[in-house]
Amino acid sequence: DPSVDQRTDLYSLGVMAYELLTGHPPFEGRSAPQLAVAHMTQAPEEIARRRPGVPPQLGALVMRLLAKRPADRPQTADEVVRALGEIVTPSGETVAAPSGGAPQPGVRSRRRWWIGAGVAAIIVLGLAVGRTRRRPAAVLDENLVAVAPFDVLDQRFAVWHEGLVDVLSRDLDGAGPLRIVAPSMVVSRWRGRADAPSAQALGQSTGAGLVVFGSVVGTGRDSVRINAAIADARTGRQLGEVDRRGAADRIDQLVDSVAVSLLNELNRTRQIGAFRIAGLGAKSLPALKSFLQGEQLYRRADYDSALGYYRRAVELDSTFPLALRRTSEAIGWSANPYDTLATVYGLRAGALNRGLSPRDSLLTAADSQIYGLFNLSTTGDSGYRALQRRLFQTLGTAITRYPTDPEAWYMLGDARQHFGFGGDLESSPRQTLETFDRAIALDSTFAPAYEHPVGLALELDDQAAARRYARAMLRHSGSGASGVRLMLAAVENDSHPVPNLDRMFDSASAQALSDVHLTFWNVPDSAETALRAVRAAVRGRPDGWIYGTDSLFTSNALRAWLAARGHLHEACRDFDPSQLRWVGRSTYRDCGLLGGMSADSFASTLNAWLAAFGKSPLATASVYASLDWWNGRRDTTAIAQIVRRSEALARTGDRPLRQLIALGTPIAQGYLALARGDSADALRRFAAIPDTLCSGGWCEAYQLTFATLRSARGDDRGAVAVLERRSSGVGASASGVLVRLARARVRERLHERDDAIGDYRYVAAAWRKGDPEVQPYVGEAKAALARLAAEPR
């Protein structure tokens, strides 16, 4: 705009002074386009109303600086300096009394004088520091491109403010040697307006040697103009500029044309070579716009609202791979990652993963592999392990190519959270949390990255960190933050009781309660906060609630939490084995092994499972998980029968059962040797089982037996290694508490004091309010804690 002059800078000075004086910017709580419109059309609230102690002359001067018409502002910087001088110089003029009342001739409030002087001093010092301090030169990658948000003042094109970041980034990624900065990272670090200095600052903060910036302007009822420039972030020099006009209803084609022109401009000064515009893979402009709106909501963890836009995009373009991918993710967060629709969308996106930018191709492949694993984890398919390894290879490639991409690191953290177990893929909770921390450090505003860290911090007994993560997520979440607020209340309740928490649970949405359930999935939770959330859900939602599942899943989940907190009588009461879901199979076994139900009832169920062995994955897994019960009774006949059937099914069984059989057969063979009194053969057979095969919580009983055998042979170090193994699907369970107790015992013998204390604390907290059957374990843990506390470090 050729009419822009120094009065625009004076307006900016007014914005800064307004925030210095009131603690708030003139306009807040709005999107970038809404802020732009507010600055053009609305007057901010009077300073006197926000901060009554500000001298009236100073408040009036700042409000003049913020006048909408440049002619109504001070016209020069000198005029502002003179006005400030008059305010901060004591005089005998009449001023308002400090706390209201009649004016006081000849008296000036020293406090107000210092406010005015302080503002003036800060302004002067800020200018001086800005001119004299030099930041260390950032290391910039000459092939890394950051696409800045475009200036958009016409509300018809508001979606393209961030939308052009998404689209142009994909167009430029993979053109010759070029790679792009993740859109979410750009949006979070962008400051100012689309000009060369702001672009250079963006390059310095992201490490990008090249920065694209520009504007979108409506040029009529149905046409649009895009002006874009590309700058060298080292020098600030503009390397090229393009200006394109076209029909508003074909703005997607116009953007592609801008990308081609920018690459041609770059080819004048560097070797880009032949290139192909990848784009986002959308065949419909309305679908593309709906997807872009979803992206802006997804970055703020507003999953329900984002899902509506993503589904609309898929309805308009059923072959749009990125919309399909995000639909599966949004369903996973707002409903259930095991949901059939989430799997269908995720796998469909993978099947259509063609012609995308290199970054999108890698992340889409990884997402498709994740949903493939979610699907296989419920069927026991033998392809699970190969797909698990391929997922981590894909994400490794993504991080190698895009080492500063927060979403790539976030996805690696998510993969470690759900599938980071077995052999060289094993990830401890701390390693998983560090991966999420890497994503957050790169982009602290990408709200999905905070979901799992809350629970991981609690699992690591760091409640202060859990609260920090929850509060940060709340700051960066959109309108769907009610679940985050409930999560934060639940986290705080774990250390300090939160009044009316049960009432909050009763009025909470199904998704908010699911968030609490997920957060406390593997946490001792001595306040039984998660259990209270599950109870509230069962009371208020008889048709099911957890991730949108049915009432039987909910009932099984409640029993699992009850058993995990030691409430065996309630967990096991009227437990009908015909109503089991996967989440309840280990709970039923724990009821039998810990005395929560009669031995006769449990034996009857075991016989029913044995009859269905090899026909139902659930019954088959339940039989393997209960081998310890038969072993305790030295029932070699039943175990031998299981071994024979396993060996037969390993040769002829259906594909969905093969992974269960592959793991279960050697476990059953080991238990048979143990039941016959040959512990050496049992240990040899258990040791030969690859630690990569265990992919469910039903492995805990075998782990306890294997670790006990190792310790009996003097191999405590090996026993700890067995008890430290993670397996997918492990959450709240009574067996999990017994694993922690066994690990604490061995760690104490190894003089690993701090780790032993952590495990004993877990047991004492988890079963603190439990039934009499589990109190001996609590007593053991408390005695050990007292003993270790008395020992010198």
Side-chain angles (χ1 to χ4, degrees), residues 660-744:
L660 288 174
I661 301 301
L663 174 61
T665 302
I667 291 179
Q669 292 168 338
Y671 271 109
L672 182 58
L674 194 59
R676 289 171 172 168
D678 191 346
S679 60
D681 184 40
L683 183 59
R684 180 180 60 81
R685 290 181 181 276
F686 286 149
I689 299 171
D691 62 2
T692 58
L693 286 177
C694 194
S695 62
W698 57 278
C699 299
E700 290 162 339
Y702 141 71
Q703 286 178 293
L704 281 167
T705 303
F706 184 20
T708 301
L709 288 172
R710 279 195 158 178
S711 286
R713 293 298 179 101
D715 184 13
D716 279 339
R717 187 68 60 191
V720 167
V722 171
L723 295 169
E724 283 182 333
R725 293 179 189 170
R726 294 177 64 224
S727 59
S728 71
V730 176
S733 72
S735 293
V737 180
L738 293 177
V739 167
R740 297 295 287 263
L741 179 59
R743 196 168 71 188

Side-chain angles (χ1 to χ4, degrees), residues 71-119:
D72 294 335
R73 300 171 200 156
Q75 298 300 291
T76 66
D78 285 340
E79 184 179 342
V80 178
V81 170
R82 285 194 300 271
L84 281 171
E86 293 172 2
I87 293 169
V88 302
T89 302
S91 71
E93 65 185 348
T94 298
V95 297
S99 56
Q104 304 291 313
V107 178
R108 175 177 292 276
S109 164
R110 289 185 58 82
R111 178 172 175 270
R112 295 182 185 184
W113 186 92
W114 279 108
I115 289 174
V119 170

Side-chain angles (χ1 to χ4, degrees), residues 51 58 92 220 293 417 521 541 587 642 657 659 673 753 775:
R51 183 78 178 274
L58 182 59
Q293 289 170 299
Q417 173 81 5
W521 183 244
R541 297 163 183 81
T587 307
I642 295 167
L657 283 168
Q659 185 177 349
R753 180 179 180 277
Q775 287 309 310

